[in-house]
Amino acid sequence: MTKEQIKKKYKLKLKSLNKHNELYYDKSQPVITDAEYDVLKNEIIDLEKKYSFLRNKNLNNLQVGFRPSKSFEKYKHKVPMLSLSNAFKEEDLKNFEKKIINYLNEKIKIDYSVEPKIDGISASLTYINKKLKFGVSRGDGETGEIITENLKTIQDIPLEIKKDNFPKEIEIRGEVFIKKKDFLRIKDKFANPRNAASGSLRQKDPKETSKIPLKFIAYTFGFMSENKFKNQSDFLNELKSWGFLTSDYNKVIKSTDDLLIFHEQFEKKRFNLNYDIDGLVYKVNNLQLQKRLGFTSNAPRWAIAHKFSADHAYSEILNIDIQVGRTGALTPVAKVKPVNIGGVVVSNATLHNEDEIIRKDIRIGDTVKIERAGDVIPHVLEVDLKKRKKTQNKFIFPTICPSCGSKTEKEYNNITKKFDAVRRCTNDGYTCNKIAIEKIKHFISKDAMNIDGLGKKVVEKFWDLKFIKLPQDIYNLDYQKISSLDGWGSQSASNLKFSIENSKKVTLDKFIFSLGIRHIGIENAKLIADFTKNINIFLNFFKKDKIKEIINIDGIGETQVKSLEKFFQNKTNIKVVEKLSEILSIKDREVKSKGKLKNVSFMFTGKLQNISRAEAKSLIEENAGSIVSSVTNKLDYLVTGEKPTNRKVEQAKNLGIKILTQKEWSDLLN
Ligand code: IVH
């Protein structure tokens, strides 16, 4: 058979398998027996094994037959399931502790609960009156999917707790995973153990889940009706007594120096463990301190994942592609000869930016060392100069955008007095195709509109087919046409419609974030949403050119204001925002309705004692108050710490604003 014939045969089999998947998973109406299905699936896997050109084209095919069902019921976690920030080196860890001390503004010694970071899938188990009521996947962190019946097939998960001291209501969280030796038996069906766990957890039929020997290790809690624990380590011990499996390697360590020693020792023995781990998690052991530290938008301030060093391998650069990102950044990507790094086939490695290429003098044809750490994008570490041939020329970085031909530039940073390392396309709107596609991918992403049926690949396909050119086109798709596309069917088209319709209800902060304005991340989008409160005020703000007032928001600076101004100078952007605001149902920003500081605004000047500005701010917000960053007649209280700025105090006096000492402010809170 020729290569083309093999490809054709493979495609036909894949298409047939997808059809049977749809019949089985989405319609629950299989037309072939399980045995026939297995034959078909094995034929595909065999073809992929035999012909590597098929596998490289579509690695995910290794998961055939475990296409997740989209029809699980949704569940809003009572306490969000956030992720962890990462530390890779000593400096990251030291900075982590420094930030904690700064936030608490106290010189204290911190004990850490140290736990292996299991490389699986997290799940949350809600127990009410000692019985397991819901088992939920993490989802986007705020809303997961109810997979109780599947989780119940895991023997480590107790269905009922007998102990008297078990809280009336509690969300117990942990990791679902598969042991290395159990994975060996099914390794032909899945890319890696993590995939096996996630695929089998999302089966529609729990019988399918029960075929895979999954494990569950518990390590934290979400909501808990009564918390009598002083430390995370006490909670972990109690979990064991309640009948949950916890890690045998959990321990308490009392300094970052000892954490580093332990990490070095543990890294050596990680391969002896009977499950995959990709690092250690350090959590501030004292739960009271954890509470004070709280969370940033996607991770707790009181915990960090200290990753193990990455795997690496050598390969040859076949070409250097220039990718254009959502904000116009030109990112060079090395296309390398496919190479296996720690079980994953890598054929792309980022070169970061123009400066990095110049610094490392990376050229097409070079043999390079590539590093891959967990889920971080593989990157080129260094060039093996011994292997360089005389014929290899220096790489010339393009000075015009490879997508739209616009001029590119490196911005000058007035604060650092340096040019940016990143070169950018100067086209700021939807007329650069690559920027536009990336903007749409950002629009549908998890933290933005969260349209889970519309992945990045689908966006690219719909773009090529001219179905989507601007974000609003997503809400005007022709599902009839879509259902007749190769690889689609009426069920998948209607699933897509369902998830698009579902996304129409969105909160103001997520909507602002989804616009993909440079320098407006989730955290800033929340601040702007707090300030503008609803979509009409938001729109007026920008139409009436009141953008400069945004600078009054504590946390927003010149950079953000400039970026917003630039965004709203573009007519297409305005049209997109207006059109979307008509189509979507954008919820007003929920202002904390209860709290003793409702409608009261504060501003701080001078150094506070035993509390950082950040903590003071979150205390005010917890009590429904707000923080402003300038003295205007909108300010209610100016709180003065040590060495306040005289000008601010004078301005406040002139406007008749009440001035409080830190003690008076603290009394007001208590
Ligand atoms: S605590 C808010 N502890 O790591 C803190 N997570 O990158 C939530 N994980 O989604 C997590 N072992 O899937 C915690 N001992 C451990 C963990 C652990 C593995 C996973 C978990 C989480 C991810 C965060």
Side-chain angles (χ1 to χ4, degrees):
M1 263 197 290
T2 64
K3 204 170 170 179
E4 281 319 303
Q5 283 168 325
I6 296 165
K7 272 191 194 164
K8 200 167 163 195
K9 179 174 164 188
Y10 172 79
K11 270 194 185 162
L12 275 174
K13 287 196 184 296
L14 205 63
K15 195 170 169 191
S16 157
L17 190 97
N18 279 334
K19 194 182 91 202
H20 292 301
N21 275 342
E22 186 171 325
L23 288 167
Y24 182 85
Y25 293 108
D26 293 337
K27 296 194 176 152
S28 296
Q29 277 175 344
V31 294
I32 54 173
T33 63
D34 282 0
E36 284 166 328
Y37 179 89
D38 283 345
V39 169
L40 179 62
K41 193 167 72 184
N42 287 333
E43 282 173 349
I44 292 174
I45 292 172
D46 286 347
L47 279 172
E48 288 181 354
K49 273 193 189 156
K50 203 162 156 193
Y51 303 108
S52 57
F53 59 88
L54 296 176
R55 196 169 51 238
N56 288 334
K57 245 179 88 198
N58 190 353
L59 257 180
N60 286 339
N61 295 341
L62 287 172
Q63 295 167 48
V64 286
F66 289 87
R67 202 164 64 90
S69 164
K70 296 199 177 89
S71 49
F72 289 106
E73 228 181 288
K74 299 272 190 267
Y75 179 96
K76 190 163 178 356
H77 304 294
K78 277 200 167 170
V79 172
M81 286 181 83
L82 302 176
S83 54
L84 293 166
S85 24
N86 291 325
F88 292 98
K89 45 187 195 295
E90 181 174 343
E91 190 191 348
D92 301 339
L93 182 61
K94 297 274 174 187
N95 277 339
F96 164 68
E97 189 172 89
K98 228 186 252 165
K99 276 194 203 153
I100 289 179
I101 307 274
N102 282 346
Y103 188 91
L104 297 171
N105 206 10
E106 275 183 73
K107 283 210 172 63
I108 46 170
K109 278 201 68 55
I110 294 171
D111 291 354
Y112 295 96
S113 167
V114 179
E115 304 155 28
K117 184 168 186 298
I118 307 155
D119 195 10
I121 299 293
S122 53
S124 181
L125 310 168
T126 302
Y127 288 84
I128 301 178
N129 295 329
K130 300 186 181 177
K131 290 210 172 76
L132 176 62
K133 279 279 177 225
F134 301 105
V136 187
S137 67
R138 177 175 181 269
D140 65 357
E142 279 183 25
T143 308
E145 288 174 323
I146 302 182
I147 47 168
T148 320
E149 294 312 311
N150 294 0
L151 285 166
K152 277 184 179 171
T153 67
I154 303 176
Q155 302 208 335
D156 302 328
I157 297 182
L159 303 180
E160 192 173 355
I161 313 294
K162 302 276 187 237
K163 294 283 175 124
D164 285 341
N165 66 345
F166 194 71
K168 197 168 162 24
E169 184 173 342
I170 183 168
E171 287 173 346
I172 288 183
R173 292 171 177 179
E175 205 77 357
V176 177
F177 63 98
I178 179 168
K179 283 190 181 171
K180 287 180 197 166
K181 75 169 180 355
D182 290 327
F183 177 68
L184 288 182
R185 289 196 275 125
I186 52 166
K187 72 175 190 321
D188 291 342
K189 296 195 184 111
F190 299 99
N192 54 46
R194 191 168 189 271
N195 245 305
S198 113
S200 65
L201 262 189
R202 300 196 78 242
Q203 293 302 294
K204 206 165 182 186
D205 182 356
K207 274 203 226 107
E208 289 298 317
T209 312
S210 69
K211 286 184 190 163
I212 312 267
L214 296 175
K215 305 284 300 165
F216 179 82
I217 277 188
Y219 49 64
T220 193
F221 55 87
F223 174 78
M224 171 150 51
S225 54
E226 61 254 50
N227 183 353
K228 297 182 274 286
F229 302 99
K230 185 165 176 272
N231 294 309
Q232 159 75 2
S233 51
D234 304 333
F235 176 71
L236 288 173
N237 288 335
E238 200 67 87
L239 275 174
K240 229 173 170 175
S241 84
W242 289 335
F244 291 90
L245 185 66
T246 54
S247 169
D248 291 337
Y249 303 97
N250 294 340
K251 75 187 263 151
V252 174
I253 292 184
K254 293 176 179 293
S255 74
T256 50
D257 287 338
D258 288 344
L259 286 178
L260 289 165
I261 295 170
F262 184 70
H263 186 268
E264 201 182 319
Q265 290 164 350
F266 208 87
E267 180 153 18
K268 286 182 196 132
K269 65 175 185 198
R270 66 187 274 212
F271 298 107
N272 303 335
L273 263 62
N274 54 15
Y275 47 85
D276 278 333
I277 63 170
D278 57 354
L280 292 171
V281 183
Y282 308 145
K283 301 175 183 168
V284 170
N285 199 26
N286 182 314
L287 294 178
Q288 199 53 43
L289 287 184
Q290 282 192 11
K291 194 159 179 257
R292 274 182 68 189
L293 287 161
F295 300 85
T296 63
S297 60
N298 49 17
R301 287 192 189 89
W302 43 264
I304 198 157
H306 190 179
K307 294 292 188 84
F308 291 136
S309 54
D311 291 316
H312 44 252
Y314 284 87
S315 185
E316 186 192 328
I317 298 188
L318 303 173
N319 202 359
I320 295 178
D321 265 11
I322 305 292
Q323 292 181 351
V324 186
R326 168 174 62 87
T327 58
L330 305 190
T331 306
V333 175
K335 297 276 161 191
V336 299
K337 259 196 192 150
V339 57
N340 188 318
I341 314 184
V344 172
V345 180
V346 170
S347 44
N348 295 313
T350 181
L351 299 169
H352 300 293
N353 53 52
E354 183 180 4
D355 279 11
E356 177 91 350
I357 293 196
I358 297 171
R359 204 159 44 83
K360 293 185 174 163
D361 185 19
I362 296 166
R363 306 181 185 191
I364 295 171
D366 274 345
T367 296
V368 287
K369 187 174 179 183
I370 303 164
E371 183 179 73
R372 189 186 74 87
D375 40 16
V376 183
I377 301 169
H379 64 277
V380 169
L381 278 180
E382 60 192 27
V383 178
D384 182 351
L385 285 173
K386 287 197 280 324
K387 298 225 164 103
R388 178 170 290 165
K389 294 180 209 80
K390 289 217 170 70
T391 46
Q392 287 174 237
N393 296 326
K394 265 196 192 300
F395 181 74
I396 313 277
F397 207 88
T399 47
I400 58 161
C401 172
S403 166
C404 66
S406 301
K407 185 170 106 212
T408 64
E409 67 179 18
K410 284 177 155 192
E411 285 169 14
Y412 184 73
N413 186 321
N414 264 326
I415 300 164
T416 59
K417 305 278 174 232
K418 275 187 190 154
F419 280 98
D420 201 351
V422 177
R423 184 173 282 280
R424 283 173 205 278
C425 164
T426 47
N427 184 319
D428 61 346
Y430 284 91
T431 43
C432 172
N433 285 356
K434 291 280 185 214
I435 294 184
I437 296 180
E438 292 308 314
K439 271 175 179 275
I440 294 167
K441 286 184 191 167
H442 171 84
F443 181 78
I444 60 154
S445 64
K446 251 188 185 177
D447 288 328
M449 301 300 290
N450 191 16
I451 310 182
D452 57 1
L454 192 64
K456 291 183 180 178
K457 286 270 167 268
V458 182
V459 167
E460 281 169 12
K461 186 166 179 172
F462 286 5
W463 173 276
D464 289 340
L465 292 167
K466 300 198 168 50
F467 289 1
I468 300 176
K469 288 284 166 195
L470 294 169
Q472 58 263 40
D473 300 336
I474 292 172
Y475 299 96
N476 197 18
L477 287 169
D478 182 340
Y479 294 101
Q480 197 66 39
K481 252 192 201 163
I482 291 172
S483 66
S484 62
L485 293 176
D486 207 18
W488 287 80
S490 57
Q491 186 63 40
S492 36
S494 85
N495 282 346
L496 176 66
K497 185 173 179 189
F498 179 77
S499 83
I500 289 177
E501 286 303 312
N502 243 351
S503 76
K504 282 187 177 171
K505 274 197 205 120
V506 64
T507 53
L508 181 60
D509 53 324
K510 290 205 173 199
F511 172 71
I512 297 173
F513 175 68
S514 79
L515 298 174
I517 306 168
R518 196 167 161 216
H519 301 299
I520 307 296
I522 311 178
E523 215 42 53
N524 284 336
K526 278 187 187 154
L527 292 176
I528 297 173
D530 281 342
F531 186 76
T532 51
K533 301 209 169 37
N534 67 45
I535 183 66
N536 293 329
I537 303 183
F538 177 81
L539 288 175
N540 270 332
F541 233 86
F542 297 103
K543 269 192 227 146
K544 298 215 173 110
D545 200 19
K546 290 163 49 172
I547 298 179
K548 284 217 159 41
E549 278 186 38
I550 295 268
I551 196 93
N552 285 328
I553 306 176
D554 193 41
I556 296 280
E558 278 288 334
T559 316
Q560 286 75 24
V561 173
K562 279 210 178 102
S563 176
L564 283 161
E565 278 176 337
K566 190 167 174 206
F567 181 87
F568 283 97
Q569 270 157 17
N570 179 303
K571 288 208 173 68
T572 316
N573 285 340
I574 295 177
K575 229 170 151 181
V576 168
V577 178
E578 284 179 346
K579 196 78 204 154
L580 285 172
S581 67
E582 282 164 33
I583 299 170
L584 304 173
S585 147
I586 302 168
K587 269 211 304 204
D588 290 358
R589 181 72 174 157
E590 261 175 41
V591 190
K592 241 184 159 240
S593 52
K594 275 188 254 150
K596 58 183 115 186
L597 303 181
K598 189 166 157 46
N599 294 330
V600 185
S601 65
F602 293 85
M603 183 179 163
F604 291 99
T605 175
K607 190 173 170 357
L608 301 175
Q609 293 297 310
N610 294 331
I611 186 170
S612 64
R613 280 280 179 90
E615 192 180 357
K617 180 171 178 230
S618 73
L619 275 176
I620 287 178
E621 283 165 357
E622 269 168 35
N623 286 288
S626 65
I627 303 273
V628 295
S629 62
S630 52
V631 184
T632 64
N633 51 14
K634 287 186 187 142
L635 174 65
D636 295 306
Y637 293 103
L638 179 72
V639 184
T640 52
E642 224 179 90
K643 295 193 189 140
T645 310
N646 286 338
R647 180 178 46 85
K648 289 181 183 162
V649 177
E650 283 311 311
Q651 278 173 342
K653 276 185 187 156
N654 290 341
L655 290 169
I657 290 162
K658 287 190 201 103
I659 299 174
L660 301 178
T661 61
Q662 184 179 345
K663 165 91 179 48
E664 286 166 330
W665 168 69
S666 165
D667 290 346
L668 196 75
L669 267 177
N670 294 328

XYZ file of all heavy atoms in Angstrom, residues 361-418:
465
model
N 22.320 32.299 19.776
C 22.700 32.113 18.363
C 22.146 30.789 17.821
O 22.897 29.898 17.403
C 24.232 32.180 18.207
C 24.622 32.117 16.731
O 23.761 32.381 15.882
O 25.784 31.758 16.436
N 20.825 30.679 17.844
C 20.169 29.435 17.410
C 19.930 29.500 15.904
O 19.424 30.505 15.391
C 18.845 29.249 18.187
C 19.173 29.067 19.673
C 18.057 28.055 17.656
C 17.997 29.198 20.594
N 20.307 28.462 15.189
C 20.163 28.461 13.720
C 19.428 27.207 13.255
O 19.498 26.167 13.931
C 21.537 28.472 13.060
C 22.402 29.626 13.553
C 23.732 29.603 12.863
N 24.584 30.644 13.452
C 25.725 31.013 12.938
N 26.186 30.447 11.844
N 26.439 31.956 13.528
N 18.794 27.313 12.086
C 18.145 26.142 11.493
C 19.242 25.115 11.196
O 20.309 25.475 10.705
C 17.370 26.528 10.209
C 16.221 27.474 10.571
C 16.836 25.291 9.485
C 15.512 28.099 9.396
N 18.981 23.840 11.533
C 19.973 22.787 11.299
C 20.773 22.456 12.552
O 21.454 21.437 12.609
N 20.664 23.321 13.594
C 21.403 23.067 14.833
C 20.862 21.854 15.575
O 19.653 21.591 15.548
C 21.268 24.286 15.781
C 22.321 25.342 15.493
O 23.294 25.017 14.789
O 22.143 26.486 15.968
N 21.760 21.167 16.282
C 21.322 20.140 17.234
C 21.204 20.843 18.583
O 22.141 21.521 19.015
C 22.355 19.000 17.299
O 22.379 18.396 16.012
C 21.967 17.963 18.342
N 20.028 20.715 19.193
C 19.792 21.480 20.427
C 19.311 20.583 21.558
O 18.739 19.518 21.327
C 18.742 22.604 20.196
C 19.310 23.735 19.381
C 17.468 22.054 19.564
N 19.529 21.068 22.774
C 19.038 20.353 23.961
C 17.662 20.917 24.278
O 17.511 22.147 24.422
C 20.002 20.604 25.115
C 19.699 19.786 26.342
C 20.804 20.016 27.366
C 20.560 19.237 28.631
N 21.590 19.515 29.625
N 16.670 20.039 24.367
C 15.292 20.494 24.615
C 14.839 19.998 25.980
O 15.086 18.841 26.334
C 14.331 19.942 23.542
C 14.811 20.368 22.158
C 12.898 20.403 23.771
C 14.177 19.571 21.053
N 14.158 20.874 26.704
C 13.689 20.508 28.037
C 12.168 20.499 28.064
O 11.524 21.356 27.465
C 14.217 21.538 29.040
C 13.858 21.206 30.468
C 14.423 22.225 31.446
O 13.892 23.354 31.500
O 15.393 21.897 32.145
N 11.611 19.520 28.768
C 10.152 19.489 28.931
C 9.846 19.256 30.409
O 10.267 18.251 30.982
C 9.535 18.356 28.117
C 8.011 18.396 28.051
C 7.456 17.171 27.365
N 7.556 16.009 28.230
C 6.644 15.666 29.124
N 5.546 16.368 29.273
N 6.815 14.597 29.897
N 9.150 20.187 31.035
C 8.824 20.038 32.459
C 7.321 20.006 32.618
O 6.653 21.007 32.365
C 9.402 21.201 33.250
N 6.776 18.886 33.025
C 5.331 18.755 33.259
C 4.539 19.258 32.077
O 4.826 18.936 30.930
N 3.574 20.140 32.361
C 2.722 20.616 31.285
C 3.232 21.921 30.661
O 2.560 22.565 29.880
C 1.271 20.744 31.767
C 1.208 21.294 33.173
O 2.246 21.842 33.626
O 0.157 21.177 33.822
N 4.440 22.332 31.044
C 5.001 23.561 30.484
C 5.475 23.273 29.047
O 5.963 22.180 28.762
C 6.203 24.040 31.347
C 6.768 25.344 30.837
C 5.785 24.172 32.797
N 5.339 24.250 28.143
C 5.728 24.054 26.741
C 7.229 23.731 26.653
O 8.045 24.431 27.268
C 5.435 25.340 25.916
C 3.942 25.667 26.001
C 5.854 25.186 24.465
C 3.600 27.031 25.445
N 7.625 22.702 25.901
C 9.054 22.377 25.784
C 9.843 23.571 25.248
O 9.331 24.326 24.412
C 9.074 21.233 24.763
C 7.711 20.677 24.760
C 6.786 21.801 25.102
N 11.069 23.754 25.729
C 11.865 24.874 25.226
C 13.310 24.463 24.969
O 13.804 23.487 25.532
C 11.781 26.085 26.161
C 12.358 25.834 27.507
N 11.665 25.222 28.507
C 13.583 26.088 28.009
C 12.427 25.103 29.573
N 13.598 25.623 29.306
N 13.966 25.244 24.109
C 15.347 24.935 23.736
C 16.282 25.507 24.789
O 16.221 26.688 25.118
C 15.664 25.531 22.346
C 17.151 25.461 22.054
C 14.880 24.784 21.276
N 17.145 24.638 25.346
C 18.064 25.091 26.387
C 19.370 25.618 25.806
O 19.827 26.691 26.158
C 18.408 23.929 27.321
C 17.436 23.591 28.424
C 17.956 22.421 29.224
C 17.229 24.787 29.351
N 19.990 24.805 24.924
C 21.293 25.237 24.381
C 21.591 24.545 23.059
O 20.978 23.529 22.732
C 22.405 24.950 25.398
C 22.505 23.477 25.723
C 23.380 23.179 26.934
O 23.490 24.046 27.812
O 23.924 22.066 26.986
N 22.569 25.109 22.349
C 22.964 24.551 21.050
C 24.209 23.688 21.246
O 25.111 24.061 22.005
C 23.308 25.704 20.066
C 23.774 25.148 18.725
C 22.114 26.615 19.883
N 24.252 22.546 20.574
C 25.469 21.735 20.580
C 26.336 22.233 19.416
O 26.156 21.829 18.260
C 25.086 20.258 20.401
C 26.299 19.354 20.452
O 27.436 19.887 20.451
O 26.123 18.130 20.486
N 27.260 23.160 19.755
C 28.029 23.841 18.698
C 28.953 22.909 17.919
O 29.278 23.163 16.763
C 28.828 25.002 19.287
C 27.981 26.231 19.640
C 28.807 27.272 20.371
C 27.323 26.830 18.399
N 29.330 21.795 18.578
C 30.238 20.845 17.904
C 29.582 20.281 16.645
O 30.247 19.882 15.710
C 30.580 19.702 18.863
C 31.554 20.127 19.976
C 32.197 18.948 20.656
C 31.438 18.243 21.666
N 30.586 18.391 22.614
N 28.266 20.249 16.672
C 27.560 19.641 15.543
C 27.218 20.655 14.445
O 26.607 20.301 13.444
C 26.268 18.971 16.048
C 26.512 17.840 17.027
C 25.652 16.638 16.701
C 26.141 15.396 17.402
N 25.365 15.010 18.559
N 27.561 21.926 14.645
C 27.177 22.942 13.647
C 28.046 22.848 12.388
O 29.255 22.678 12.481
C 27.284 24.339 14.254
C 26.933 25.386 13.224
C 26.777 26.743 13.798
N 25.591 26.890 14.628
C 25.409 27.914 15.454
N 26.325 28.850 15.556
N 24.314 27.989 16.169
N 27.357 22.970 11.231
C 28.116 22.903 9.961
C 28.341 24.329 9.451
O 27.596 25.248 9.800
C 27.308 22.110 8.927
C 27.146 20.643 9.310
C 26.328 19.902 8.261
C 25.575 18.740 8.867
N 24.333 19.107 9.556
N 29.366 24.477 8.608
C 29.734 25.811 8.107
C 28.617 26.432 7.267
O 28.500 27.647 7.158
C 31.011 25.713 7.256
C 32.246 25.436 8.089
C 33.454 26.207 7.532
C 34.621 26.133 8.469
N 35.230 24.789 8.538
N 27.802 25.559 6.669
C 26.769 26.053 5.754
C 25.571 26.672 6.484
O 24.706 27.280 5.859
C 26.252 24.886 4.893
O 26.013 23.790 5.773
C 27.236 24.511 3.809
N 25.514 26.533 7.798
C 24.352 27.058 8.544
C 24.498 28.553 8.817
O 25.426 28.968 9.514
C 24.201 26.326 9.879
C 23.688 24.921 9.747
C 23.706 24.220 11.098
O 24.320 23.175 11.232
N 23.066 24.812 12.083
N 23.547 29.334 8.277
C 23.638 30.782 8.468
C 22.887 31.244 9.707
O 22.019 30.540 10.206
C 23.035 31.501 7.249
C 23.841 31.205 6.015
O 25.058 31.052 6.090
N 23.158 31.068 4.884
N 23.219 32.455 10.124
C 22.501 33.066 11.258
C 21.027 33.180 10.908
O 20.687 33.415 9.746
C 23.052 34.463 11.527
C 24.117 34.486 12.596
C 24.310 35.920 13.083
C 25.533 36.092 13.935
N 25.612 35.312 15.150
N 20.154 33.064 11.905
C 18.725 33.195 11.630
C 18.345 34.677 11.592
O 18.695 35.447 12.487
C 17.898 32.469 12.698
C 16.424 32.554 12.452
C 15.829 31.802 11.451
C 15.612 33.421 13.202
C 14.465 31.888 11.203
C 14.256 33.509 12.954
C 13.683 32.745 11.950
N 17.665 35.073 10.526
C 17.246 36.487 10.428
C 15.796 36.584 10.877
O 14.903 35.983 10.271
C 17.337 37.005 8.968
C 18.669 36.620 8.326
C 17.046 38.504 8.886
C 19.824 37.523 8.621
N 15.577 37.342 11.936
C 14.224 37.489 12.473
C 13.420 38.442 11.580
O 13.924 39.505 11.208
C 14.297 38.040 13.892
C 13.131 37.639 14.730
C 13.153 36.454 15.451
C 11.989 38.429 14.786
C 12.070 36.068 16.224
C 10.901 38.051 15.542
C 10.946 36.871 16.270
N 12.174 38.085 11.213
C 11.423 38.951 10.299
C 11.121 40.322 10.916
O 10.852 40.418 12.112
C 10.123 38.183 10.063
C 10.026 37.209 11.172
C 11.416 36.905 11.627
N 11.181 41.356 10.074
C 10.871 42.691 10.590
C 9.450 43.104 10.226
O 8.970 44.149 10.645
C 11.859 43.743 10.044
O 11.955 43.524 8.647
C 13.212 43.640 10.701
N 8.788 42.260 9.408
C 7.353 42.521 9.182
C 6.566 41.299 9.651
O 7.102 40.195 9.725
C 7.020 42.832 7.693
C 7.453 41.664 6.807
C 7.620 44.129 7.235
C 6.784 41.672 5.463
N 5.304 41.529 9.975
C 4.483 40.445 10.516
C 4.272 39.377 9.429
O 3.794 39.689 8.337
C 3.142 40.994 10.994
S 1.980 39.697 11.463
N 4.603 38.111 9.732
C 4.438 37.072 8.718
C 2.969 36.805 8.375
O 2.677 36.178 7.359
C 5.056 35.830 9.369
C 5.171 36.121 10.808
C 5.163 37.606 10.986
N 2.074 37.319 9.196
C 0.655 37.073 8.931
C 0.033 38.194 8.099
O -0.598 37.953 7.081
C -0.092 36.931 10.259
O -1.466 37.015 10.072
N 0.234 39.474 8.520
C -0.477 40.559 7.827
C 0.459 41.539 7.121
O 0.002 42.453 6.442
C -1.367 41.314 8.814
S -0.430 42.205 10.062
N 1.752 41.372 7.324
C 2.704 42.244 6.629
C 2.887 43.600 7.293
O 3.638 44.439 6.797
N 2.227 43.819 8.436
C 2.413 45.115 9.120
C 3.838 45.219 9.648
O 4.514 44.216 9.856
C 1.482 45.241 10.329
O 0.168 45.129 9.959
N 4.194 46.459 9.933
C 5.493 46.719 10.546
C 5.528 46.037 11.934
O 4.496 45.912 12.593
C 5.566 48.239 10.688
C 6.831 48.793 11.171
C 6.779 50.305 11.005
C 6.602 50.908 12.314
N 6.118 51.851 12.953
N 6.719 45.573 12.357
C 6.818 45.047 13.729
C 7.734 45.962 14.521
O 8.554 46.673 13.937
C 7.403 43.625 13.757
O 8.744 43.680 13.282
C 6.588 42.661 12.929
N 7.590 45.935 15.844
C 8.475 46.799 16.647
C 8.714 46.221 18.028
O 7.961 45.371 18.503
C 7.865 48.199 16.779
C 6.593 48.200 17.586
C 5.956 49.574 17.766
O 6.303 50.481 17.006
O 5.119 49.690 18.680
N 9.792 46.684 18.630
C 10.065 46.321 20.022
C 9.740 47.558 20.836
O 10.283 48.634 20.555
C 11.535 45.959 20.185
C 11.870 44.592 19.651
C 13.349 44.377 19.797
C 13.653 42.907 19.865
N 15.009 42.656 20.279
N 8.874 47.407 21.820
C 8.472 48.600 22.575
C 9.561 49.035 23.546
O 10.289 48.199 24.067
C 7.190 48.304 23.343
C 5.991 48.284 22.433
C 4.756 47.736 23.102
O 4.729 47.616 24.339
O 3.815 47.413 22.361
N 9.589 50.335 23.801
C 10.547 50.866 24.768
C 9.847 51.003 26.114
O 8.756 51.562 26.205
C 11.072 52.227 24.294
C 12.143 52.785 25.200
C 13.427 52.231 25.189
C 11.871 53.836 26.062
C 14.409 52.717 26.035
C 12.858 54.333 26.909
C 14.121 53.770 26.887
O 15.091 54.243 27.726
N 10.451 50.435 27.146
C 9.843 50.502 28.469
C 10.424 51.685 29.242
O 11.615 51.724 29.537
C 10.119 49.184 29.208
C 9.386 49.113 30.531
O 9.283 50.099 31.258
N 8.868 47.939 30.832
N 9.536 52.644 29.541
C 9.989 53.872 30.187
C 10.481 53.661 31.602
O 11.249 54.467 32.126
C 8.825 54.875 30.215
C 8.933 55.811 29.036
O 10.039 56.157 28.615
N 7.783 56.190 28.483
N 9.999 52.586 32.243
C 10.409 52.341 33.635
C 11.783 51.657 33.665
O 12.699 52.103 34.340
C 9.350 51.503 34.377
C 8.008 52.267 34.365
C 9.770 51.206 35.818
C 6.808 51.453 34.711
N 11.933 50.574 32.861
C 13.226 49.858 32.904
C 14.261 50.513 31.995
O 15.435 50.166 32.037
C 13.051 48.390 32.463
O 12.515 48.400 31.127
C 12.114 47.628 33.373
N 13.805 51.476 31.160
C 14.672 52.158 30.183
C 15.332 51.150 29.230
O 16.515 51.256 28.892
C 15.780 52.986 30.878
C 15.265 53.988 31.884
C 14.811 55.268 31.206
C 14.162 56.235 32.170
N 12.857 56.729 31.796
N 14.577 50.136 28.876
C 15.114 49.109 27.967
C 14.072 48.807 26.905
O 12.874 48.995 27.129
C 15.361 47.815 28.751
C 16.678 47.758 29.455
C 16.856 46.365 30.024
C 18.043 46.337 30.952
N 17.923 45.287 31.938
